[in-house]
Amino acid sequence: MIIGIPKEIKNNENRVAITPAGVKTLTDSGHKVLVEKKAGLGSGIVDEQYSKAGADIIEQAADLFAEAEMIIKVKEPLESEYDYFTPEKILFTYLHLAADEKLTKALMEKEVVSIAYETIQLADGSLPLLIPMSEVAGRLAIQAGASFLEKPHGGKGVLLGGVPGVKPGRVVIIGGGTVGINSAKMAVGLGADVTILDVSAEQMRYLDDIFQGRVKTIMSNPYHIIEEIKDADLVVGAVLIPGAKAPYLLTEEMLQEMQPGSVLVDVAIDQGGCIETSHPTTHDDPVFVKDGIIHYSVANMPGAVARTSTYALTNVTLPYALELADKGYQQALKDNKSLAKGLNVCAGKITYQAVAEAFAMEYVDYQAVIL
């Protein structure tokens, strides 16, 4: 199979979808790998490293897309890339379609075989290709929040760890999954006062065990959320429903309870956000102020630490990419039920139920569209 790795063009998206080790793995298996010129620079990988591993360096994105049978990316295609796609071309990347109707319709119209990293799901319910980036985003949420709490950045002037004789900052994390756990690790490490809200009693028992009493756990519901955010300095939205649009757990009305200069970090923004007042921002312009509250809602947070993120992501994507290349997408999906859950659009049909529900469109089981 001919595999294309384009340069990411989303604002400050410095990750790349493959490492030289990944190129060597694919070429050793008999596949041809095309890498767009300078695609890896943002992650500290130069073209010569790809060439030595066996890749062909392609000058123009249009030529790479035209020749490749499978495109592996990090982030969803932007509108300027839509015309590069043709029927039966495989797209393997983060898609987050439930928050992007325009892209969904474009992939349907082009009849692209669209496989989303974020909906590949193991039998135990875990999301192996989302976990490493959730770990990164969770940790970054605290770094970003701590920075924007500083007075020169518009915050209330609170040091999360406090100092002897002064209370530490209060961090409230809504959601106790991978993002929430990693946010809590960073916040606890800084010495903050940390509370996690979650709807699962079992998950809260787990959190209590792993943090050994260093975080407080509270059942998540509107009443408790309001009570906790009243004196919070930093609130992290860390909620995920696989493949679906995130629910609004923090409403605009609730914001009135927060103190001016507090910071909200909506990690769920690439799935539409779990904070009603959020909208996607970029690393160039990461925050906005609404009702006196600083909102940080960058839709590609891990792109800020691209070298770490690229290696963490490609560690988990490569085995699936190799399976798709070795078997072709149809056989790979038949053989691997976890990978099959990644198929969101195929043959012009939506094959992931949560995406279809997001737009009130028809859902078709993937088995009906692969031969």
Side-chain angles (χ1 to χ4, degrees):
M1 185 177 284
I2 303 173
I3 300 160
I5 313 295
K7 188 178 190 300
E8 299 294 324
I9 60 173
K10 194 179 183 81
N11 182 281
N12 274 292
E13 184 46 77
N14 293 299
R15 289 173 289 180
V16 63
I18 204 166
T19 61
V23 170
K24 187 171 189 334
T25 297
L26 290 167
T27 55
D28 283 352
S29 294
H31 305 292
K32 183 177 182 180
V33 180
L34 314 176
V35 177
E36 187 178 349
K37 185 178 181 181
K38 297 183 179 180
L41 282 186
S43 296
I45 305 170
V46 298
D47 291 342
E48 290 75 13
Q49 291 173 275
Y50 285 126
S51 296
K52 286 180 180 178
D56 293 342
I57 305 301
I58 306 297
E59 290 280 341
Q60 301 294 330
D63 296 332
L64 180 143
F65 275 85
E67 187 176 350
E69 297 165 285
M70 176 165 65
I71 297 293
I72 307 178
K73 291 179 87 283
V74 176
K75 293 300 291 178
E76 73 283 349
L78 300 186
E79 195 168 350
S80 62
E81 296 172 301
Y82 292 178
D83 286 341
Y84 293 151
F85 288 97
T86 53
E88 289 288 293
K89 196 176 291 289
I90 303 166
L91 172 62
F92 190 38
T93 187
Y94 286 119
L95 287 172
H96 303 292
L97 293 183
D100 195 338
E101 186 173 5
K102 191 169 189 177
L103 174 59
T104 302
K105 289 181 175 178
L107 295 174
M108 293 172 69
E109 180 184 341
K110 298 286 186 177
E111 298 187 6
V112 179
V113 179
S114 308
I115 303 171
Y117 291 167
E118 73 275 7
T119 63
I120 291 174
Q121 191 168 20
L122 301 181
D124 64 2
S126 63
L127 305 167
L129 274 60
L130 193 60
I131 286 172
M133 294 304 92
S134 295
E135 291 170 337
V136 170
R139 296 178 185 216
L140 276 176
I142 302 302
Q143 289 187 192
S147 177
F148 284 102
L149 272 172
E150 296 173 11
K151 202 67 180 175
H153 293 161
K156 57 167 68 169
V158 169
L159 180 66
L160 282 183
V163 292
V166 181
K167 288 182 179 180
R170 282 208 69 230
V171 176
V172 173
I173 301 166
I174 305 174
T178 303
V179 170
I181 289 171
N182 280 273
S183 290
K185 284 179 180 179
M186 294 293 281
V188 167
L190 289 173
D193 177 355
V194 182
T195 299
I196 303 177
L197 295 102
D198 199 271
V199 294
S200 167
E202 182 180 353
Q203 184 68 5
M204 286 189 284
R205 290 188 189 99
Y206 172 71
L207 294 169
D208 188 63
D209 283 344
I210 64 171
F211 286 107
Q212 299 181 335
R214 290 175 294 171
V215 304
K216 295 181 284 292
T217 56
I218 295 178
M219 182 61 70
S220 182
N221 57 50
Y223 182 88
H224 287 156
I225 290 173
I226 291 172
E227 288 299 304
E228 291 304 313
I229 66 174
K230 283 180 180 177
D231 60 350
D233 300 300
L234 169 60
V235 176
V236 178
V239 175
L240 172 73
I241 300 175
K245 190 178 185 304
Y248 291 142
L249 296 185
L250 190 57
T251 65
E252 184 169 3
E253 184 179 357
M254 291 176 177
L255 240 63
Q256 312 309 314
E257 302 291 336
M258 295 185 69
Q259 299 170 13
S262 301
V263 177
L264 293 173
V265 178
D266 194 347
V267 183
I269 194 64
D270 53 9
Q271 286 288 137
C274 64
I275 298 169
E276 186 178 18
T277 47
S278 292
H279 61 73
T281 60
T282 67
H283 289 294
D284 279 348
D285 190 14
V287 299
F288 63 93
V289 178
K290 172 73 175 173
D291 296 332
I293 310 303
I294 299 170
H295 292 58
Y296 178 99
S297 47
V298 175
N300 61 325
M301 290 175 64
V305 286
R307 188 166 180 87
T308 296
S309 297
T310 286
Y311 283 90
L313 179 60
T314 56
N315 284 342
V316 294
T317 57
L318 182 61
Y320 292 98
L322 183 61
E323 188 170 358
L324 287 165
D326 284 346
K327 298 179 178 180
Y329 81 90
Q330 293 170 325
Q331 193 61 48
L333 296 179
K334 289 175 183 176
D335 292 349
N336 189 331
K337 291 183 179 179
S338 296
L339 180 58
K341 289 189 176 182
L343 188 67
N344 280 214
V345 173
C346 187
K349 306 292 185 182
I350 296 178
T351 55
Y352 197 82
Q353 191 161 358
V355 174
E357 290 173 354
F359 308 122
M361 297 172 72
E362 181 186 8
Y363 160 72
V364 177
D365 188 275
Y366 80 95
Q367 295 179 80
V369 295
I370 63 173
L371 300 177

